[in-house]
Amino acid sequence: MLFFTCVLLHELAHSLVALRFQIPVRGITLFIFGGVSHIAHDARSPRAEFLIALAGPVTSLLLGIIAAAAYWLLHGQNEAAAMICFGLAYVNVSLGLFNLLPGFPLDGGRLLRSMIWFAGDDFAWATRVAARAGQITAVCLIAAGAYLIVTEGQRALLNGLWISFIGWFLLQAAARTLTSTLLLHELDGVVARDVMRTNPPLVTADQPLSDLATLLLRQSTPRPISRPP
């Protein structure tokens, strides 16, 4: 419970900074790998992206330092409480450092995207680079887990499988996030009027659906989306 409270504070830090930049936050979900803040849309500037992404790892590292200080104060007086603080210090520092890995959609990947975005002024290209970095990071984690299992055997089986599973999860997440982020970016500002047919085909109520399908296929003429100025 204490660990998930720390994860919640990590995500709250992201959310509060997002709200500071007037980006709505729909909620926070906690799951086995940590948590995620459901922010309504991507940041509108590299600076906002950088600060929102940085807030989470900084919070985790600060919590780790506080827990380490509590361990130092309690050590020798209350060993049970001291060991809880030691565990919290370890997991929070690990969480903060892991999230700083330069792979999208981790916080480190978003930091990388914000810097590339700032340097090149191209959100789509920055997203692609950060996602590729995420996939490379994921493959390295999978390879590290496999190497641990091969070299250490039974002693490192659980840790190796866990590291590889995290890598696999990150690999899938990077691909999904890349697709959805670029799609939403392309559709930003597009309304129904921009893509609808101005003269839709008319049919009678008793006309077979096969005729309608043939008519639609015959009249289907893809056209580019017109963006508002």
Side-chain angles (χ1 to χ4, degrees):
M1 292 299 296
L2 288 171
F3 168 68
F4 277 108
T5 300
C6 292
V7 174
L8 179 61
L9 291 174
H10 175 111
E11 297 302 330
L12 277 173
H14 287 308
S15 300
L16 290 174
V17 178
L19 291 172
R20 174 67 180 79
F21 285 99
Q22 299 181 341
I23 302 175
V25 179
R26 296 169 179 163
I28 294 173
T29 300
L30 301 180
F31 55 99
I32 189 171
F33 293 109
V36 59
S37 298
H38 301 286
I39 298 175
H41 57 76
D42 286 308
R44 302 299 187 187
S45 68
R47 177 175 177 270
E49 170 92 339
F50 184 87
L51 294 176
I52 293 171
L54 186 63
V58 168
T59 299
S60 292
L61 292 174
L62 287 175
L63 289 172
I65 292 172
I66 293 171
Y71 166 77
W72 183 76
L73 292 173
L74 292 170
H75 184 58
Q77 300 183 29
N78 188 329
E79 288 302 321
M83 291 310 298
I84 291 175
C85 292
F86 178 83
L88 286 175
Y90 177 80
V91 296
N92 275 290
V93 171
S94 299
L95 180 65
L97 294 177
F98 176 76
N99 272 278
L100 286 175
L101 289 175
F104 197 72
L106 295 175
D107 295 332
R110 296 185 182 278
L111 291 172
L112 176 63
R113 179 173 71 172
S114 69
M115 291 184 283
I116 297 173
W117 183 9
F118 176 78
D121 196 26
D122 189 334
F123 176 84
W125 181 68
T127 300
R128 289 189 180 92
V129 173
R132 295 292 177 258
Q135 292 170 332
I136 293 172
T137 301
V139 170
C140 290
L141 286 172
I142 295 171
Y147 176 79
L148 202 60
I149 294 172
V150 171
T151 56
E152 299 293 331
Q154 291 289 336
R155 292 181 300 173
L157 180 62
L158 185 60
N159 286 337
L161 288 174
W162 184 247
I163 292 172
S164 295
F165 189 64
I166 291 175
W168 175 84
F169 181 83
L170 180 59
L171 186 65
Q172 303 300 313
R176 288 196 305 268
T177 308
L178 173 64
T179 302
S180 60
T181 300
L182 293 180
L183 177 62
L184 291 174
H185 178 68
E186 289 299 319
L187 294 178
D188 188 28
V190 177
V191 296
R193 179 176 56 250
D194 300 323
V195 296
M196 69 177 292
R197 295 173 181 232
T198 54
N199 296 306
L202 301 177
V203 295
T204 61
D206 58 350
Q207 189 168 356
L209 287 175
S210 58
D211 292 351
L212 175 60
T214 302
L215 179 63
L216 289 175
L217 289 172
R218 188 182 304 129
Q219 295 185 358
S220 178
T221 53
R223 62 188 184 89
I225 295 176
S226 57
R227 286 183 171 276

